[in-house]
């Protein structure tokens, strides 16, 4: 593999950073990027145990080569997320920094496309809340889609700029800021990032990061944690910003314990993955604790009513409940369009608070929409880990599953009429409605596979 064309100023700065390892760094840039995925244990199949494990992530593995993920129906079922291995270090850090056996409020402030959100959602308990936020609207749709596939009802999403979180001041135990950056650590995977790089761009990124970092500072409770990460190497965006932040906002840098054979380089302020030392891309991570003596500014937040949503009442409630495996653990709401969502009771208060504070949010599990005499089940319900196992289903082989995912006509002769889940290797993909003369494919148009199969 050729080395990506590297800007001169980048070469100078990297040579001074890696010193005698410069040649090893260049050799790593000329080798193929490792391919890694992270499983969702709740949807995992036992046949996938034999891959090399990512040392710092319990469900992360390397694949021997890069398959065409789009053509694997279990990818669309949310069985795994394709994630660069160094980013999975978030798991090792979070496990050391917070008590994962306690209920937590966690915010992923800059979350799309959702790699680290899916990781965090799987780490925390089901009665902990994850708010995954993204400011750019089309990136927010991708974040939502990825979290819907992940199917965990304790993850909610919001579509806001970090500066619009003021109402949730002091509310979170843990905030991840995976900041937009100059992407130096991705040059091997994404040569375009190398073409866009310039010292001016680094300065621009560092200053934008400071703004988002400052927005994050107030959101953590005293004693709470901010994890700051980038996929770049330069000190301005990494240690420089961390030093500025700690001094400005009363945070302490926390040491993390990563075994030596992981190859992660401890720096004065933070930890760096280099591609010649780890099997992964470039990544920087720093853990910061808000001083416990910081004034607690938690606003007095009370769960009120959600403007558009009212508790579901009347004849639909029993049908809605029958859609979930443990309906007693959920509260059900409907909006004026008759869309029904279920929210875990353990999180209801927090979800109501966050949804009122943030306005543009999605939360809980969308059960479906009442249309006339029918409840049209939601694609989100099909992918949720909370779905009732009692729904009728058909098991599709790979060609049929792919036709379904392309939203083409599919037939399942001999299957009784009615709403039916299409499954692939035991994993739900979505809904068909089987009728006397035809079968309607309810896979969402915006999710369909566009690639030639
Ligand atoms: N954490 C993501 C993952 O692992 O998949 C990657 C996040 S990416 C490095 C940074 C994201 O922050 C981008 O999607 C960008 O649109 C978003 N962003 C930039 N400025 C923001 C802001 N002020 N508030 C919220 N999100 C922001």
């Amino acid at each position: 593999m050729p080395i990506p064309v590297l800007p001169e100023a980048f070469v100078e700065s990297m040579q001074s950073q890696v010193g005698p390892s410069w040649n090893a760094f260049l050799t790593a840039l000329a080798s193929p990027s490792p391919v890694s995925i992270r499983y969702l244990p709740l949807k995992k199949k036992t046949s996938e145990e034999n891959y090399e494990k990512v040392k710092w992530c319990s469900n992360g593995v390397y694949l021997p080569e890069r398959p065409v993920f789009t053509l694997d129906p279990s990818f669309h079922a949310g069985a795994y997320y394709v994630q660069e291995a160094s980013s999975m270090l978030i798991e090792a850090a979070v496990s050391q920094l917070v008590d994962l056996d306690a209920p937590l409020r966690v915010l992923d402030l800059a979350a799309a496309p959702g790699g680290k959100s899916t990781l965090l959602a799987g780490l925390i308990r089901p009665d902990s809340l994850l708010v995954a936020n993204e400011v750019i609207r089309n990136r927010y749709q991708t974040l939502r889609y990825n979290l819907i596939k992940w199917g965990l009802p304790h993850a909610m999403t919001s579509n806001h700029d970090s500066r619009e979180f003021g109402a949730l001041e002091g509310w979170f135990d843990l905030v991840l800021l995976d900041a937009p950056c100059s992407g130096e650590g991705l040059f091997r995977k994404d040569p375009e990032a190398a073409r866009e790089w310039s010292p001016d761009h680094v300065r621009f990124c560092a200053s934008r990061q400071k703004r988002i970092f400052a927005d994050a500072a107030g959101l953590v409770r005293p004693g709470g944690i901010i994890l700051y990460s980038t996929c770049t190497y330069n000190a301005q965006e990494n240690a420089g910003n961390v030093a500025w932040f700690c001094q400005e906002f009363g945070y302490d840098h926390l040491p993390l314990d990563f075994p030596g054979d992981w190859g992660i380089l401890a720096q004065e302020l933070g930890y760096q993955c280099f591609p010649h030392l780890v099997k992964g891309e470039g990544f920087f991570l720093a853990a910061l604790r808000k001083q416990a003596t910081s004034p607690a500014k938690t606003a007095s937040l009370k769960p009120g009513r959600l403007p558009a949503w009212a508790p579901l009442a009347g004849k639909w409630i029993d049908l809605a409940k029958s859609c979930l495996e443990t309906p007693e653990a959920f509260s059900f709401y409907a909006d004026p369009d008759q869309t029904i969502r279920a929210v875990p009771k353990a999180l209801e208060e927090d979800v109501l608070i966050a949804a009122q504070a943030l306005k543009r949010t999605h939360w809980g599990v969308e059960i479906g929409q009442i249309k006339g005499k029918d409840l049209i089940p939601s694609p989100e319900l099909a992918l949720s880990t909370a779905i009732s196992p009692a729904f009728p289903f058909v098991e599709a082989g790979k060609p049929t599953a792919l036709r379904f995912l392309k939203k083409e006509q599919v037939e399942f002769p001999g299957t009784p009429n009615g709403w039916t889940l299409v499954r692939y290797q035991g994993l739900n993909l979505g809904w068909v409605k089987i009728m006397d003369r035809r079968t309607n494919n309810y896979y969402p148009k915006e999710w369909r596979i566009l690639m030639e199969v």
Side-chain angles (χ1 to χ4, degrees), residues 81 83 87 108-117 133-136 139-140 143 146 160-163 165 176-181 208 211-212 215 229-231:
Y81 190 93
Q83 186 174 39
S87 302
D108 187 355
L109 189 55
K116 298 182 188 71
S117 292
N133 178 68
E134 168 59 43
V135 63
I136 297 177
R139 291 182 62 84
Y140 176 71
L143 171 69
N146 282 328
H160 283 271
D161 190 288
S162 51
R163 70 162 69 89
F165 272 70
L176 169 64
L177 171 53
D178 186 37
C181 70
R208 178 171 60 179
R211 201 273 278 173
I212 308 174
D215 292 337
S229 60
T230 70
C231 48

Side-chain angles (χ1 to χ4, degrees), residues 323-360:
C323 294
L324 297 185
E325 185 170 19
T326 56
E328 64 286 356
F330 287 82
S331 296
F332 295 81
Y333 286 82
D335 74 358
D337 290 337
Q338 308 271 66
T339 297
I340 301 172
R341 299 195 79 89
V343 60
K345 281 183 180 160
L347 294 175
E348 190 171 358
E349 211 168 275
D350 277 358
V351 166
L352 291 180
I353 287 172
Q356 284 173 90
L358 293 169
K359 315 290 180 248
R360 289 185 302 281

Side-chain angles (χ1 to χ4, degrees), residues 150-194:
W150 215 236
L152 299 177
H154 57 273
M156 67 181 279
T157 52
S158 64
N159 177 207
H160 283 271
D161 190 288
S162 51
R163 70 162 69 89
E164 294 166 334
F165 272 70
L168 293 174
E169 190 146 345
W171 202 63
F172 293 97
D173 300 290
L174 171 69
V175 173
L176 169 64
L177 171 53
D178 186 37
C181 70
S182 59
E184 294 165 354
L186 301 180
F187 284 1
R188 162 169 77 170
K189 249 179 96 177
D190 176 13
E192 191 53 35

